[in-house]
Amino acid sequence: MAWEWRFEKADGTTTEPSQDPGDFGTQGDAESWIGEIWGELLDEGVDQVTLLEDGREIYGPMSLHSALDE
C-alpha cells in the first residue's frame, strides 16, 4: 500500500510543495510527516491536505490553518 498527501489551496485546487515527499509505507508515517512539516507547507501556500491510500481518499481536506486563524 502507498500512502500519499494531496496538497491544495483553500479553494480545493491542487498545488505542489517545493519538495515532493513521495509515498509513505504506512498511514502513521504519512501523518507523522505532515505533523512535522505542516508549518512549512503553510508558508509555501498550501492551505489544506487530503490523505490518499493507493489513490483512494481516506480523509480530508484537512486545513493546515489553526482554528484561531480562521
Side-chain angles (χ1 to χ4, degrees), residues 5 13-14 16 18 20 22 24-26 35-36 43-46 50 52 54-55 57 61 68-69:
W5 291 103
T13 57
T14 59
E16 293 299 324
S18 61
D20 180 8
F24 299 91
T26 68
E36 294 172 8
D43 289 344
E44 292 181 18
V46 176
T50 298
L52 307 169
D54 294 328
E57 287 188 15
L68 298 174
D69 292 340

Side-chain angles (χ1 to χ4, degrees), residues 19-33:
Q19 289 190 330
D20 180 8
D23 296 340
F24 299 91
T26 68
Q27 181 175 353
D29 289 343
E31 291 171 338
S32 292
W33 179 84

Side-chain angles (χ1 to χ4, degrees), residues 5 7 29-38 41 49 62 64:
W5 291 103
F7 306 97
D29 289 343
E31 291 171 338
S32 292
W33 179 84
I34 204 75
E36 294 172 8
I37 198 150
W38 69 270
L41 294 171
V49 294
M62 178 178 67
L64 297 180

